């Protein structure tokens, strides 16, 4: 068996979905499974610093990847981009028809309903099996217009039944797959962690003060950025500990940038919050290893009802104490006061109190952080989950 991922993202460097596929691929490769990542279109913006410079190659785990459009970088005008995208899509389909064997397994990761349908037809033409990695409610991003809801209904009613298997990330997504594809096999795979390095390190902290780290988006609806800053502002009013808050990403690119700036002024924390921009993976891991704590602030939204935060696994792997809102799939694994600190959503006072508690009780925070790492090692480990998936596919 060979495993192919069809990923509408970038690779080997990219966002959360890239990280998850990277972890899958490492797990499969570690079990001796030949693994390929096919990227149908270019998604790095024209004019940006190109993060993925090879059109085809192997990552550090020996996993093969190939940009089917010829490059990870998009063209400089809309006509070039459209032509390049169409070439990438058709090249991917023809490539699948050319190389697939009956014992191969394909996993479709992201993409609209029509693209998924075309991939399924090409894969089944060669007698191979196809799974969907279902990590959120389809078409959940943005305003839920009639057009978006219609696309979701087409995907659920007319494309889902054509899949052989589903890999789901939460209980709610498992129910969704079973409802619309009752004949398909379904397996739940939680967040997975690729790099379970020793959290004890002799290297120096990137800054000489305690800090909280946020590696998600600077977006209110997805990661509750305004609630994080407000809770931190309340903490700074109640402690003399020189705690700082570090955010990856660029403030000027946040849709809530003006609201963020107002909160910084309101709580007088302009010198306590830093925006780090884009970090290379080695830099990111360095910041994660030395942070005092991390916070995941999810609200009760349609998206968060179905999803499972990828970055949670990374925080746990480095034995960092985590504060998380009591929302979604993560609560099946996290227990307040045992391996994490849980608070109710939209309660910045409780979040601020938890931050203060961690700062004032370092021994307890260390114990809880270590319990979180144990959870990651035993449950979220990509090698453990790869073995489960291989048995699932082979059965």
């Amino acid at each position: 068996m060979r495993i192919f991922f069809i990923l509408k993202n970038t690779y080997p460097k990219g966002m959360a979905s890239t990280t998850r596929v990277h972890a899958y691929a490492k797990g499969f490769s570690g079990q001796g499974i030949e693994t390929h990542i096919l990227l149908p279109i270019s998604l790095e913006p024209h004019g940006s610093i190109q993060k993925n410079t090879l059109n085809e190659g192997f990552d550090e785990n020996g996993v093969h990847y190939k940009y089917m459009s010829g490059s990870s970088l998009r063209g400089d005008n809309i006509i070039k981009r459209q032509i390049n995208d169409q070439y990438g899509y058709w090249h991917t389909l023809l490539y699948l028809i050319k190389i697939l064997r009956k014992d191969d397994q394909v996993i479709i990761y992201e993409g609209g309903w029509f693209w998924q349908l075309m991939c399924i037809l090409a894969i089944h033409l060669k007698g191979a099996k196809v799974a969907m990695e279902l990590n959120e409610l389809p078409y959940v991003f943005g305003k839920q217009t009639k057009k978006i809801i219609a696309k979701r209904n087409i995907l659920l009613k007319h494309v889902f039944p054509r899949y052989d298997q589903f890999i789901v990330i939460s209980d709610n997504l498992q129910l969704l797959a079973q409802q619309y594809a009752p004949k398909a096999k379904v397996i739940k795979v939680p967040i997975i962690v690729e790099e379970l390095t020793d959290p004890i390190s002799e290297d120096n902290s990137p800054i000489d003060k305690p800090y909280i780290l946020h590696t998600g988006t600077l977006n209110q609806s997805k990661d509750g950025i305004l609630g994080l800053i407000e809770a931190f502002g309340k903490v700074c009013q109640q402690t003399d500990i020189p705690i700082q808050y570090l955010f990856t990403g660029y403030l000027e690119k946040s849709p809530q940038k003006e609201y963020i700036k107002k909160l910084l002024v309101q709580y007088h924390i302009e010198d306590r919050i830093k925006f780090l921009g884009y970090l290379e993976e080695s830099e990111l891991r360095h910041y994660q290893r030395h942070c005092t704590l991390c916070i995941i602030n999810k609200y009760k939204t349609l998206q968060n009802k179905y999803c499972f935060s990828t970055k949670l696994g990374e925080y746990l792997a480095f034995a960092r104490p985590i504060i998380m809102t009591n929302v979604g799939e993560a609560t099946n694994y996290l227990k307040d006061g045992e391996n994490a600190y849980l608070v109710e959503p939209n309660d910045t006072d409780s979040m601020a109190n938890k931050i203060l508690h961690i700062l004032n009780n370092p021994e307890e925070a260390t114990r809880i952080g270590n319990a979180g790492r144990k959870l990651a090692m035993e449950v979220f480990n990509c090698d453990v989950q790869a073995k489960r998936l291989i048995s699932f596919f082979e059965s």
Side-chain angles (χ1 to χ4, degrees):
M1 178 177 64
R2 299 177 300 175
I3 294 179
F4 293 81
F5 284 90
I6 302 176
L7 175 64
K8 284 192 67 177
N9 208 305
T10 58
Y11 195 90
K13 297 179 180 179
M15 304 300 288
S17 58
T18 301
T19 301
R20 185 163 169 85
V21 170
H22 204 284
Y24 273 130
K26 180 180 180 181
F28 291 138
S29 179
Q31 298 302 313
I33 301 294
E34 183 181 330
T35 308
H36 301 264
I37 316 293
L38 306 182
L39 304 115
I41 61 174
S42 310
L43 287 174
E44 293 194 45
H46 179 79
S48 65
I49 298 175
Q50 193 172 5
K51 300 173 186 175
N52 299 281
T53 55
L54 295 179
N55 299 336
E56 183 176 3
F58 294 86
D59 69 13
E60 68 275 17
N61 300 311
V63 174
H64 174 254
Y65 64 91
K66 180 179 178 67
Y67 283 90
M68 307 306 292
S69 61
S71 172
S72 68
L73 200 62
R74 294 187 68 72
D76 58 358
N77 67 61
I78 190 169
I79 296 176
K80 283 185 178 180
R81 289 195 294 269
Q82 291 294 327
I83 293 173
N84 194 244
D85 286 352
Q86 290 303 313
Y87 169 75
Y89 285 131
W90 283 105
H91 188 194
T92 302
L93 296 174
L94 294 174
Y95 186 80
L96 290 170
I97 292 171
K98 179 181 178 181
I99 68 167
L100 284 181
R101 303 191 299 246
K102 287 187 177 181
D103 58 347
D104 287 336
Q105 175 70 50
V106 183
I107 303 171
I108 296 178
Y109 205 106
E110 304 169 317
W113 70 266
F114 185 72
W115 169 241
Q116 292 186 45
L117 179 61
M118 295 298 290
C119 289
I120 293 170
L121 293 175
I123 295 161
H124 281 167
L125 181 66
K126 296 302 295 285
K129 291 288 191 290
V130 57
M132 180 184 186
E133 215 273 11
L134 189 57
N135 50 60
E136 63 190 8
L137 181 68
Y139 294 102
V140 74
F141 288 111
K143 189 175 180 180
Q144 295 298 292
T145 62
K146 290 182 179 180
K147 184 177 180 180
I148 291 296
I149 294 173
K151 287 182 177 180
R152 181 187 298 135
N153 287 334
I154 293 173
L155 179 63
L156 294 174
K157 295 178 181 179
H158 301 290
V159 181
F160 266 39
R162 296 175 179 267
Y163 276 104
D164 301 300
Q165 310 114 345
F166 283 85
I167 305 167
V168 301
I169 203 170
S170 68
D171 288 340
N172 285 323
L173 289 173
Q174 183 168 348
L175 293 174
L176 187 73
Q178 289 170 339
Q179 177 183 353
Y180 288 97
K183 295 182 180 180
K185 294 172 61 179
V186 183
I187 184 173
K188 187 174 80 167
V189 177
I191 53 170
I192 50 177
V193 180
E194 176 184 350
E195 186 175 346
L196 291 170
T197 56
D198 188 344
I200 300 173
S201 174
E202 295 181 356
D203 61 356
N204 296 322
S205 175
I207 63 174
D208 59 359
K209 297 177 181 179
Y211 63 92
I212 306 171
L213 181 66
H214 176 77
T215 60
T217 68
L218 301 178
N219 187 291
Q220 175 65 3
S221 62
K222 182 170 173 53
D223 284 313
I225 184 69
L226 300 181
L228 293 174
I229 293 175
E230 184 175 356
F232 180 70
K234 293 177 179 179
V235 167
C236 292
Q237 293 177 338
Q238 301 178 60
T239 183
D240 294 328
I241 297 174
I243 187 76
Q244 295 191 348
Y245 210 147
L246 309 185
F247 293 83
T248 57
Y250 300 92
L251 175 59
E252 294 303 318
K253 293 184 178 182
S254 170
Q256 281 78 43
K257 63 181 179 181
E258 298 303 325
Y259 294 101
I260 293 173
K261 291 176 181 178
K262 289 179 180 179
L263 285 174
L264 300 184
V265 173
Q266 177 183 341
Y267 286 99
H268 307 289
I269 52 176
E270 299 98 317
D271 61 338
R272 296 278 199 113
I273 288 187
K274 300 183 184 298
F275 297 93
L276 304 174
Y278 172 77
L279 297 178
E280 291 288 345
E281 184 175 351
S282 59
E283 295 178 288
L284 177 63
R285 301 297 181 234
H286 188 54
Y287 277 98
Q288 288 175 321
R289 181 179 293 113
H290 291 284
C291 69
T292 304
L293 67 127
C294 302
I295 309 172
I296 298 177
N297 187 29
K298 297 292 186 181
Y299 296 131
K300 289 185 177 179
T301 64
L302 186 63
Q303 180 182 4
N304 292 334
K305 176 183 176 182
Y306 288 89
C307 72
F308 195 167
S309 176
T310 301
K311 57 184 174 288
L312 172 64
E314 297 173 358
Y315 296 159
L316 291 171
F318 283 106
R320 300 300 85 199
I322 293 171
I323 300 172
M324 183 160 187
T325 47
N326 193 16
V327 173
E329 179 71 16
T331 58
N332 289 337
Y333 302 89
L334 301 181
K335 304 300 179 185
D336 185 39
E338 294 183 16
N339 51 24
Y341 296 91
L342 299 182
V343 297
E344 292 303 312
N346 299 299
D347 190 345
T348 56
D349 288 331
S350 292
M351 185 174 290
N353 289 335
K354 289 289 188 182
I355 297 171
L356 289 167
H357 182 80
I358 291 172
L359 295 176
N360 293 322
N361 296 274
E363 291 185 3
E364 178 192 283
T366 298
R367 173 179 62 78
I368 289 178
N370 287 334
R373 174 174 166 79
K374 182 179 179 182
L375 173 68
M377 294 279 287
E378 294 177 352
V379 180
F380 302 149
N381 188 323
C382 69
D383 296 319
V384 171
Q385 295 299 333
K387 292 177 183 177
R388 288 184 64 226
L389 278 166
I390 292 169
S391 296
F392 172 73
F393 292 142
E394 290 181 340
S395 69

